[in-house]
């Protein structure tokens, strides 16, 4: 199998210039509805460039794991979801477009030698994971295992609000993933800046994150999660959000969502339940994460 790394990306890495990996699921039809996905892709890439780094999109294209620039018409179109475990299948079966989730993206970033990755919100432990009664039964995102395994810094607005955030935070601790609050004291809840859960460590600067990462990796550590809250102006009010999440989860349950379908179905239902207001919030937080990731990538290269 060959890993297709665009020459601009491999050149930048060889010259110790900052690169930020991006996932593709969020920009595909599985992530955000058109045309918001096209706008999200443009804004995230621009945020990385404006902060002085090179964006590198991860995807499986015609069966080839690819890192670099890709045709927005493909990236923002119909896709099959590729988590880490699906990478080999997508390659061998030559999937035309496999959109990478966080778990697949950090796998590819690590394979390419990219140290920083930006997403919207990571997957985590689903609500009802232990009680058998809900769609989320037993569902723990592969994002968590991949985060623990690969030595990549992931920048995310916490984890998606419809998850069991307390269980997600605990799981990160068990797996040995440092969670660093980017100028915040609480674990962000994706569309909301707060969750009531404390982050173990607060950081104020990219230089600080870089120093922590270097020390963590010297001691054999894997991934690091930097959580950045959605910018204040774009956060959704908490009460409205809680209601929308309840109705979105109920809708996904009625539709019989299982396994990998759950997250895309709940995200779409959440868009409807907020009359579309969750979409600009999603765009703003993804763009913000991309900019923070670029600052960290620069600090790592300094
Ligand atoms: N956050 C978003 N939109 C998304 C996702 C996260 O705002 O589409 C995707 C990411 O690719 C993440 C995946 O890795 O959902 C997690 O899916 P699951 O819960 O099935 O592991
Ligand atoms: Mn899952």
């Amino acid at each position: 199998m060959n890993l297709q790394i665009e020459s601009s990306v491999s050149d930048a890495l060889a010259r110790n210039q900052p690169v930020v990996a991006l996932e593709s699921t969020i920009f595909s039809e599985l992530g955000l509805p058109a045309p918001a996905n096209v706008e999200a892709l443009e804004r995230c890439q621009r945020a990385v460039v404006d902060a002085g780094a090179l964006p590198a999109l991860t995807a499986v294209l015609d069966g080839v794991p690819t890192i670099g620039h890709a045709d927005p018409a493909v990236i923002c179109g119909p896709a099959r979801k590729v988590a880490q475990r699906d990478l080999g299948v997508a390659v061998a079966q030559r999937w035309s477009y496999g959109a990478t989730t966080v778990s697949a993206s950090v796998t590819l970033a690590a394979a390419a030698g990219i140290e920083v990755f930006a997403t919207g919100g990571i997957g985590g432990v689903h609500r009802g994971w232990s009680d058998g009664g809900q769609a989320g039964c037993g569902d723990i995102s592969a994002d968590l295992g991949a985060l623990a395994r690969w030595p990549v810094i992931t920048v995310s607005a916490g984890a998606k609000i419809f998850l069991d955030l307390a269980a997600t935070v605990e799981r990160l601790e068990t797996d040995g993933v440092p969670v660093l609050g980017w100028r915040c004291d609480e674990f962000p809840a994706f569309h909301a800046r707060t969750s009531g859960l404390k982050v173990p460590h607060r950081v104020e600067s990219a230089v600080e994150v870089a120093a922590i990462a270097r020390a963590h990796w010297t001691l054999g550590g894997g991934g690091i999660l930097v959580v950045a809250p959605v910018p204040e102006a774009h956060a959704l009010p908490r009460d409205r959000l809680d209601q929308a999440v309840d109705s979105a989860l109920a809708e996904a349950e009625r539709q019989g969502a299982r396994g990998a379908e759950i997250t895309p179905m709940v995200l779409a239902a959440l868009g409807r339940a907020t009359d579309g207001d969750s979409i600009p919030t999603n765009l703003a937080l993804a763009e913000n994460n991309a900019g923070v990731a670029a600052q960290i990538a620069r600090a790592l290269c300094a």
Side-chain angles (χ1 to χ4, degrees):
M1 186 208 77
N2 64 334
L3 181 64
Q4 175 82 37
I5 305 176
E6 195 187 320
S7 57
S8 59
V9 173
S10 46
D11 288 353
L13 292 169
R15 293 190 192 123
N16 191 36
Q17 288 166 352
V19 176
V20 172
L22 299 171
E23 64 162 299
S24 41
T25 296
I26 176 175
F27 307 118
S28 76
E29 284 186 354
L30 300 168
L32 286 158
N37 57 348
V38 179
E39 185 184 337
L41 177 59
E42 284 169 7
R43 281 171 57 180
C44 287
Q45 291 182 318
R46 198 179 324 126
V48 172
V49 171
D50 287 351
L54 184 68
L57 202 65
T58 64
V60 179
L61 300 171
D62 295 322
V64 180
T66 303
I67 301 174
H69 182 73
D71 182 359
V74 173
I75 295 300
C76 299
R80 290 175 78 177
K81 187 169 166 178
V82 176
Q84 177 177 357
R85 68 166 184 173
D86 307 310
L87 281 166
V89 180
V91 169
Q93 295 183 348
R94 295 178 192 281
W95 291 9
S96 59
Y97 173 29
T100 47
T101 64
V102 169
S103 68
S105 299
V106 291
T107 306
L108 295 181
I114 300 171
E115 296 177 320
V116 187
F117 162 71
T119 181
I122 60 163
V125 180
H126 285 250
R127 295 187 195 180
W129 62 282
S130 64
D131 72 13
Q134 289 192 31
C137 169
D139 191 350
I140 297 174
S141 175
D143 291 355
L144 295 181
L147 232 61
R149 179 169 177 188
W150 303 108
V152 172
I153 299 171
T154 293
V155 182
S156 147
K160 279 162 286 176
I161 182 140
F162 53 83
L163 300 168
D164 182 335
L165 292 181
T168 300
V169 168
E170 286 304 329
R171 179 61 185 251
L172 288 162
E173 185 199 353
T174 303
D175 285 349
V177 177
V179 178
L180 310 178
W182 179 261
R183 299 170 189 162
C184 66
D185 297 303
E186 276 191 40
F187 192 79
F190 200 61
H191 306 86
R193 291 173 59 86
T194 57
S195 64
L197 300 162
K198 290 261 167 290
V199 284
H201 309 288
R202 177 186 170 116
V203 290
E204 304 295 338
S205 73
V207 171
E208 206 180 340
V209 176
I212 292 167
R214 290 282 174 240
H216 184 66
W217 291 334
T218 299
L219 296 168
I224 293 171
L225 181 63
V226 174
V227 291
V230 60
E232 193 98 54
H234 296 279
L236 288 181
R238 198 57 208 236
D239 49 340
R240 181 143 181 254
L241 200 49
D242 288 339
Q243 275 179 14
V245 168
D246 288 345
S247 91
L249 285 170
E251 189 180 331
E253 179 88 36
R254 278 196 304 278
Q255 292 171 331
R258 285 289 178 276
E261 310 163 341
I262 295 176
T263 293
M265 280 166 99
V266 176
L267 281 172
L270 199 55
R272 290 188 289 274
T274 57
D275 301 315
D277 288 350
S278 68
I279 310 292
T281 303
N282 206 328
L283 259 63
L285 64 85
E287 178 182 44
N288 184 57
N289 294 342
V292 171
Q295 293 177 51
I296 294 170
R298 285 184 57 187
L300 279 165
C301 289

